[in-house]
Every structure is written in structure tokens, then in C-alpha cells.
Amino acid sequence: MSTKSENPYSIWWSKFANGERMPFLVPSATGVPLEAPTFWILADRRPLGLQPNTLTNELRSLSHLFLWGDARGIDVVKRVREGIFFSLLETLDIVNFCSRRVAEAIAELHERLPTVVKLQARRKRHVQIVGFGEKRHRLAAIKSFIVFTSAEILSNLARWPQRHQQYGAVRNEFLELIDGHISGLAKTGRNDLDLPEGLADAAVKRLREVIEPDHPENPFHPSGRFRNYLIVRLLLDLGIRRGELLGIKVADCQLGSKGMITIHRRPDDPADPRREKPATKTKARILALSPRLAEILYEYIVHHRARIPNARRHPFLVVSTDSGKPMSLSNVNKIMEALRDRVPGLPEKLGPHRLRHTWNDAFSEDMDEKKVSAEDEVKWRTRLQGWRSESSAQSYLRRAVRRRSNEALRQMQEKLDIAASRGNE
């Protein structure tokens, strides 16, 4: 029986004989995966080659539709199968419901009793909402699920033209409404205000200083200081993702004066014992190491990792100093939490992905100094970050353009001020 703090839907993992992991959307009340979402994930999303963690995120986004259905007393799958779909008001309600945080959605589910007191309490409660990106992901997953689930039903109605036409018309009307809201959200925030931000120069300097193993303000236990030093340096100096960092194996590291590190894609690696396996969302690539970074990596592998019990039982580079097991994704977050909580001068939003943005800022400045063309900057950034499309690099280029244009604006204003002061002499 769920309480007000519990989500009635959860993600359960299953591991196939070949080592592949697969997530399923499971109601807590039954413990049995929902049939329609399972079919959607297995037959439509999985064949696209999406990472297990991506499939998990899609199921979490889709679960908001089922939360909405439970809160309104509506069987969403039955509606689709019978061709009723959702009215205009219901569709708008779904869109609005997708703005709610999960805790708010669950609270509304428990307030479904149609009493005046309940309705008044709902009106008075301040509802916290998610960002446009999260809402867009939820609506996109709902649209994908409805498109796939209804397509099979539509094809089965081909023998009855009139029913086929009626079902198709209602289906298209609903999908057009949802698609319109997705498109509107995609356009929202296309300005300077939502561009990815890295750390300020002072914060980067502070972080690089305090993470040194012998710094007096280093917040970590001596046994984990060098490992955490390596983690921060790899994130800052290479701009890699948290999952990419934890997927690195010792054999991926080529040390020496011309050191290299290879970022591999290893979906469902059978050598990885972690329950939540880190995933490499980007393309495999080889990244150069500075002599100092190669030296740090060598010292960690030879003098620190080698002395940790059980670390040699698996090939992964970054390990727990207590157990020697491969480090978990959550522990990387805890390192960042400790830094921002215990070290004055570091921002509250310090996290692994913020360091990736910081690398991109530094890369833009370096491209400015080298006078690299915008076209080459996009190509180089795309390769180094492992993106499949150059469009992913455009947001960082927009940030660089903003910085450059603001600098030009300041210089122009200074010239005007100088000219005005001369004119008053």
C-alpha cells in the first residue's frame, strides 16, 4: 500500500542471458511490469540502440501519463485501445500535469476524492513545477508511446475503412495537440539566459587548489584524496561525462610523454558488477593527456589503486577506497557535494556536468586565443566531446559569441566615454 511519499510506479531491472540489462515500468501494487509500456520499450525504443539509462529515463517520463490517469480515474491504455483517446480539456490537463514534480503528482493522486475540502486544499497548495526541458521530455515520451501503441490498433482496423478513418482522425487530433505543445516548449528559452554555464574563473582556481592532496583545506579523508584529485582533474581537463569517467578501464590508459586515454562505448559490459552501470552516451574517442595529467594517472594506478584490496579483481580505473569495487555514479555526486558543502568559495551547483560546461568555456577561450575559425571550433569541439551531430556544439558557440559580442560592446562604450570626455575639455 503506497503512502503519500511513495511513487506507485518504479523502474525494475532485468538482466538477460547475454548480459544486456532492460528496465521495466512496474506498479508497486502488483509487481508486474505494465504490458503496453514494456512492448513499447522492447519493440520500438530498444531497436534504436538507446542506452539502458536512456530507456529508463523514457519510462520515468512516461510514468507521468499513468500517474495522471490514476489521479483522474482514467485507464489510459483502455482509452487508446477503444479509440476514445482524450478530450481537449483532458489533453490540456495532461500537458499541465507534466509540469508537476513527481512529489506534487503523487500528492495530487492521493487527493483524488471529490470533496469540497480536498478541492480547496488543492487550490491553496503551491504547486512546484519542473523546467521546460523536463516537461518536454515527458510529453515526447507520451507522444512516442501513444504513436506506437495506437499504430498497431490502427493497422488492425484496415479491414473496416470507416472505423479506420474514425480512429485515425481522433488519434491525429490528439497527437497534433501534444506535438504543438512540444514544439512550443522547444522554442522556449532560445536566448542567452538558458545557455550552459561553467564555473567562474575564481571558482575554477579555488577548486584546482583545494583538490590538491596536500592542500590544508582538502575536505576528504587522506585515503581518498589522490583518487578524488584524479577524478576532478579528468573531468576538468577532458570535459568528459560522469558515466564516461567511471567506464574507463586501466587498459584504456596509455601513459608516457604522449599519453592518451580512450573513451569506449561498452553497453551492458559483463565485466561491470555495478547495478546502475555508467553509460557512455557519446561516441568512442581517443583523447590526449598533458604530461602532468599522464603523470597523475600513472601515480594513481601504480601507487594508489594497486594497494587497494580487491581493486585488481576488475579492470575499472576509478574504485572505492574501502572495498576496491568500481565506483558508483552516486559516489561521484557525493564527492561534488562534499566539495561544495565543506569548501568556502565553491558554488552551490557544483557537479560533474558543471565541470563539463567549464571545460567547454575554457575550450572557447583557447580557440579565441588561437584565432581558430568558428567552423573549425565546432568540428573540434564535436569530436572532443564525442557528439554525433555538430548541432550539440552550437549552444557553446552561442555562449562564446555572447562573450565576444559583450566584450566588443564594452570596448565601444569605453570609446564613446573617452570621446565624450575629450569633447568636454
Side-chain angles (χ1 to χ4, degrees), residues 9 25 34-40 62 65-66 68-70 74-86 145-146 149-150 152-153 167:
Y9 296 97
L25 184 61
L34 291 174
E35 180 183 354
T38 298
F39 188 39
W40 170 62
L62 178 63
L65 175 64
F66 287 88
W68 172 84
D70 292 347
I74 294 173
D75 185 332
V76 296
V77 175
K78 183 178 180 182
R79 284 286 194 92
V80 174
R81 286 175 175 167
E82 293 181 352
I84 301 173
F85 287 90
F86 311 100
F145 170 74
I146 297 295
T149 304
S150 59
E152 180 190 13
I153 299 169
Y167 186 95

Side-chain angles (χ1 to χ4, degrees), residues 201-219:
D201 291 344
V204 175
K205 184 175 182 295
R206 175 73 167 146
L207 177 60
R208 286 189 179 276
E209 288 174 349
V210 79
I211 200 62
E212 291 281 345
D214 57 353
H215 194 279
E217 293 182 86
N218 190 301

Side-chain angles (χ1 to χ4, degrees), residues 226 292 294-305:
F226 201 90
R292 176 55 184 154
E295 181 182 331
I296 294 170
L297 195 56
Y298 173 83
E299 184 174 349
Y300 169 73
I301 293 172
V302 175
H303 299 293
H304 295 271
R305 185 184 182 279

Side-chain angles (χ1 to χ4, degrees), residues 272-295:
D272 193 341
R274 286 168 285 202
R275 181 183 178 189
E276 185 180 2
K277 291 179 171 57
T280 300
K281 296 181 179 180
T282 48
K283 293 171 62 177
R285 58 204 185 277
I286 299 175
L287 301 176
L289 302 175
S290 69
R292 176 55 184 154
L293 191 54
E295 181 182 331

